[in-house]
Amino acid sequence: MTTVTDLYPSRGTGEVSVPRQDPVVWSEPGAPGPIPAADLQGYERDGFLAVEQLIDDDEVALYRAELERMVTDPAVRADERSIIEPQSQEIRSVFEVHKTSEIFAQLVRDERVVGRARQILGSDVYVHQSRINVKPGFGASGFYWHSDFETWHAEDGLPNMRTVSVSIALTDNHDTNGGLMIMPGSHHTFLGCSGATPKDNYKKSLQMQDAGTPSDEALTKYASQHGIKLFTGRAGSATWFDCNCMHGSGDNITPFPRSNVFIVFNSVENAAVEPFSAPVRRPEFIGARDFTPVK
């Protein structure tokens, strides 16, 4: 059995800060793809890329209708892939939508989507995770500050930072309805969190982050160093961001819902191994073990 070196220790007795050991953009300079060179440089520097209109209004209507169909389907609600909001008891997220919905599967295969992932990661890619997020008005809770890679490394066994996420807005993102916030440049440093990972931690963390949460002191330092960028935009806009960006979102107490489809692409050359800091793997609908490239 091949031993994989743990470049990013986490979930120990204390927080640790480690300089990033991996590239941000893995493709060779000048490699073909839909992202202009200047935008790739911005992604390298800041850890994110905002696209004003990735999909048009008709496509937004198609995907929003599919989202509504899924979250109102009793069979979907009863499925373990659906995460329920603790307070309202409404659906918060539905996972693995690229396998349960042909409409969302088509979106994953769309060259505007997967082509950018290949260009950033410099290889073929597979879907590590997909989901629709529903953030209705009047009290839907946010996601606390975290680095996705910290969790995917510790609990899913992704060895390296060769993973990119895209959040595609299916409703308008205002500055008031719980939009995505990222600390620009935070992806250049790995913050290993303290505290052991409980068994079946995912059941709690998908509703409210606990294990893998940075300290107030670390977050204050990061925010002071990097600042905080809040993403707004109309439905159809998209934000690509590096797996190690420190990010989160606030509660939505406005009347205006915020829903999106969220796709995580991982390089086929960075396939998951055993978890680095967890007693068991998370379920495959959260951390895929099917490494088939998207075609």
Side-chain angles (χ1 to χ4, degrees):
M1 186 178 190
T2 303
T3 301
V4 179
T5 302
D6 185 357
L7 298 175
Y8 303 105
S10 192
R11 311 287 174 98
T13 56
E15 282 184 323
V16 294
S17 181
V18 178
R20 186 185 185 111
Q21 305 295 302
D22 296 305
V24 178
V25 175
W26 288 74
S27 60
E28 295 294 328
I35 307 174
D39 289 345
L40 268 183
Q41 291 170 3
Y43 181 87
E44 170 89 36
R45 179 188 65 244
D46 298 326
F48 59 80
L49 169 65
V51 177
E52 191 171 317
Q53 186 179 46
L54 182 71
I55 58 175
D56 64 29
D57 291 346
D58 289 341
E59 292 171 304
V60 168
L62 172 68
Y63 296 126
R64 189 187 298 172
E66 179 68 351
L67 179 148
E68 292 297 330
R69 182 196 69 78
M70 295 185 76
V71 300
T72 56
D73 184 340
V76 173
R77 181 185 177 88
D79 194 292
E80 66 172 346
R81 289 171 286 199
S82 294
I83 308 302
I84 308 300
E85 185 79 34
Q87 299 300 323
S88 67
Q89 290 299 297
E90 294 182 358
I91 289 180
R92 176 190 182 110
S93 301
V94 180
F95 282 80
E96 214 171 41
V97 292
H98 70 294
K99 290 193 172 181
T100 58
S101 165
E102 180 53 34
I103 289 176
F104 285 121
Q106 291 173 11
L107 179 63
V108 167
R109 296 191 297 264
D110 191 311
E111 193 60 28
R112 293 169 296 177
V113 178
V114 70
R116 284 178 167 87
R118 293 192 192 106
Q119 188 178 3
I120 290 169
L121 301 180
S123 69
D124 279 335
V125 297
Y126 71 92
V127 177
H128 177 70
Q129 185 186 105
S130 72
R131 66 178 188 262
I132 49 175
N133 293 324
V134 185
K135 210 177 212 185
F138 301 116
S141 57
F143 289 88
Y144 198 68
W145 292 105
H146 64 286
S147 154
D148 286 331
F149 179 76
E150 192 279 338
T151 296
W152 299 337
H153 182 71
E155 300 186 38
D156 296 339
L158 295 192
N160 296 96
M161 295 180 183
R162 200 171 179 178
T163 314
V164 62
S165 301
V166 59
S167 174
I168 304 171
L170 300 182
T171 53
D172 291 346
N173 286 339
H174 307 291
D175 58 3
T176 52
N177 65 341
L180 173 69
M181 296 182 287
I182 292 178
M183 297 184 187
S186 58
H187 62 304
H188 291 295
T189 305
F190 175 75
L191 184 67
C193 299
S194 62
T197 308
K199 186 179 180 182
D200 291 341
N201 177 57
Y202 77 94
K203 293 180 179 179
K204 181 179 180 182
S205 67
L206 295 178
Q207 294 179 331
M208 185 174 293
Q209 191 82 5
D210 188 7
T213 301
S215 68
D216 291 352
E217 292 77 14
L219 289 172
T220 300
K221 180 180 178 181
Y222 265 57
S224 298
Q225 181 178 351
H226 301 292
I228 295 173
K229 164 74 174 174
L230 170 65
F231 292 86
T232 59
R234 7 182 354 253
S237 61
T239 304
W240 295 82
F241 59 102
D242 180 82
C243 58
N244 192 45
C245 283
M246 191 64 68
H247 67 287
S249 64
D251 295 350
N252 182 13
I253 61 172
T254 76
F256 310 113
R258 176 181 170 262
S259 298
N260 69 304
V261 54
F262 184 80
I263 307 162
V264 181
F265 293 102
N266 188 39
S267 169
V268 295
E269 298 172 13
N270 189 43
V273 294
E274 291 305 311
F276 286 90
S277 303
V280 294
R281 300 175 180 180
R282 297 196 298 175
E284 291 195 26
F285 67 83
I286 299 174
R289 296 280 160 173
D290 177 357
F291 310 132
T292 305
V294 177
K295 297 294 185 183

